[in-house]
Amino acid sequence: MTTIARTDPYPTRGTGEVITPRQDPVVWSAPGAPGPMLPAELLEYERDGFLTVPEQITGAEVALYRAELDRLIADPAVRADERSIVEPKSRAVRSVFEVHRLSEVFAALVRDERVVGRARQILGSDVYVHQSRVNVKPGFGASGFYWHSDFETWHAEDGLPRMRTVSVSIALTENRDTNGGLMIMPGSHRAFLGCAGATPEDNYKQSLRMQDAGTPSDAALTRLADEHGIRLFTGGAGSATWFDCNCMHGSGDNITPYARSNVFIVFNSVENAAVRPFAAPSPRPEFIGARDFTPVR
């Protein structure tokens, strides 16, 4: 039987880096589509690839989610679960994945119309959760996340076909300019940087602690930073940053005494469901890249 090769709109993990112009919309909904975001906010998101919301959740809600985060990371069963990722040196919990399945408290946040309504408005369809996690990033040495495009990984290793995915990072502690805050290159979402090098088997076991495969070269990052600049996000607990799946972003180490804890939710369009990975031997586990495409209700 003859196998027909797939056409990959965003090639990556080859012999060298390659830049592909974005072939998908940034905002998928029609002008005037209902939702929590104002037209000016959608225009800002489309232009920059991100949008900040000063009060995504209230102070009382922050306290509720902080208490639930503390409960999860203190639970020995959760810590022993493969969904928990620990710091290589301190062994402190770094992230807990699939929190909307581990916790009804975080499941309710995913269903909150202030949250999922923005995702539907940006993506122009019903959405499902491709990934959720809490990032603890404790003080005194928590390591950062190196520069990367999430879509590069989700396309290569999870099989997301198109750029129809949006992430929200909601601060559960103050995001200072000193405690390893999120950095994004504004406008970098308009071109796809395909990275060099093959994907190792079970790459996720390494990449969740330290990114290697799918990492841009120093030269490419310098060109992008020179062209777009770098924006550092700060804000109080309860604030949020919404950002496009193809934004070049990263964060530094946290050597301050102050934790930077966030809940991170990735919404993908139900019309962009994952297929076979484009540049990996097999899909990552479902707690990292979901294969349940049930819409959020």
Side-chain angles (χ1 to χ4, degrees):
M1 183 174 66
T2 302
T3 300
I4 300 174
R6 290 185 298 176
T7 300
D8 185 355
Y10 297 111
T12 190
R13 312 280 175 104
T15 56
E17 288 181 322
V18 58
I19 296 176
T20 304
R22 186 185 185 110
Q23 301 174 48
D24 296 307
V26 178
V27 175
W28 289 73
S29 61
M37 299 175 72
L38 299 173
E41 293 176 317
L42 287 170
L43 287 173
E44 181 180 344
Y45 178 86
E46 184 172 35
R47 181 194 68 210
D48 296 334
F50 57 79
L51 179 76
T52 57
V53 179
E55 189 174 303
Q56 179 73 65
I57 56 176
T58 66
E61 291 169 320
V62 168
L64 171 68
Y65 297 125
R66 279 282 303 277
E68 182 68 355
L69 181 152
D70 292 342
R71 183 191 72 79
L72 287 171
I73 64 176
D75 186 337
V78 172
R79 183 184 177 88
D81 193 290
E82 65 174 345
R83 290 173 284 192
S84 291
I85 311 301
V86 299
E87 288 288 338
K89 293 182 180 179
S90 69
R91 309 306 295 170
V93 173
R94 173 190 178 99
S95 302
V96 180
F97 281 79
E98 214 171 40
V99 289
H100 71 296
R101 296 194 183 279
L102 286 171
S103 161
E104 179 51 40
V105 173
F106 284 114
L109 177 63
V110 166
R111 297 190 299 265
D112 190 312
E113 189 60 27
R114 294 169 298 172
V115 177
V116 70
R118 282 183 167 88
R120 292 192 192 105
Q121 197 175 6
I122 291 169
L123 302 179
S125 70
D126 280 334
V127 298
Y128 70 92
V129 176
H130 177 69
Q131 184 187 105
S132 72
R133 67 179 186 263
V134 285
N135 292 328
V136 183
K137 208 162 193 182
F140 297 119
S143 52
F145 294 84
Y146 197 68
W147 290 106
H148 63 286
S149 154
D150 286 330
F151 180 74
E152 193 281 334
T153 297
W154 299 338
H155 183 68
E157 300 186 37
D158 297 340
L160 294 193
R162 313 299 301 205
M163 295 180 182
R164 201 170 179 179
T165 315
V166 62
S167 301
V168 60
S169 177
I170 304 174
L172 300 182
T173 59
E174 184 177 356
N175 281 222
R176 307 165 185 253
D177 58 4
T178 53
N179 67 344
L182 175 68
M183 296 180 287
I184 297 180
M185 298 184 187
S188 60
H189 62 304
R190 295 201 169 274
F192 176 72
L193 178 62
C195 297
T199 308
E201 186 75 39
D202 291 336
N203 179 56
Y204 74 94
K205 294 179 180 179
Q206 165 66 21
S207 66
L208 295 182
R209 294 173 173 84
M210 186 68 68
Q211 185 94 355
D212 187 13
T215 301
S217 68
D218 291 352
L221 288 170
T222 300
R223 288 196 305 272
L224 287 170
D226 286 345
E227 180 179 355
H228 299 291
I230 296 173
R231 170 87 177 269
L232 171 65
F233 293 88
T234 59
S239 63
T241 303
W242 289 83
F243 58 102
D244 179 81
C245 58
N246 191 45
C247 283
M248 191 61 66
H249 67 288
S251 64
D253 295 351
N254 181 13
I255 61 171
T256 75
Y258 311 111
R260 177 182 165 264
S261 298
N262 297 63
V263 55
F264 184 79
I265 307 164
V266 180
F267 293 102
N268 188 41
S269 169
V270 295
E271 299 173 12
N272 190 45
V275 295
R276 180 165 47 90
F278 285 83
S282 58
R284 297 189 299 175
E286 290 204 24
F287 71 86
I288 305 172
R291 298 271 157 174
D292 178 354
F293 311 130
T294 305
V296 175
R297 299 292 187 208

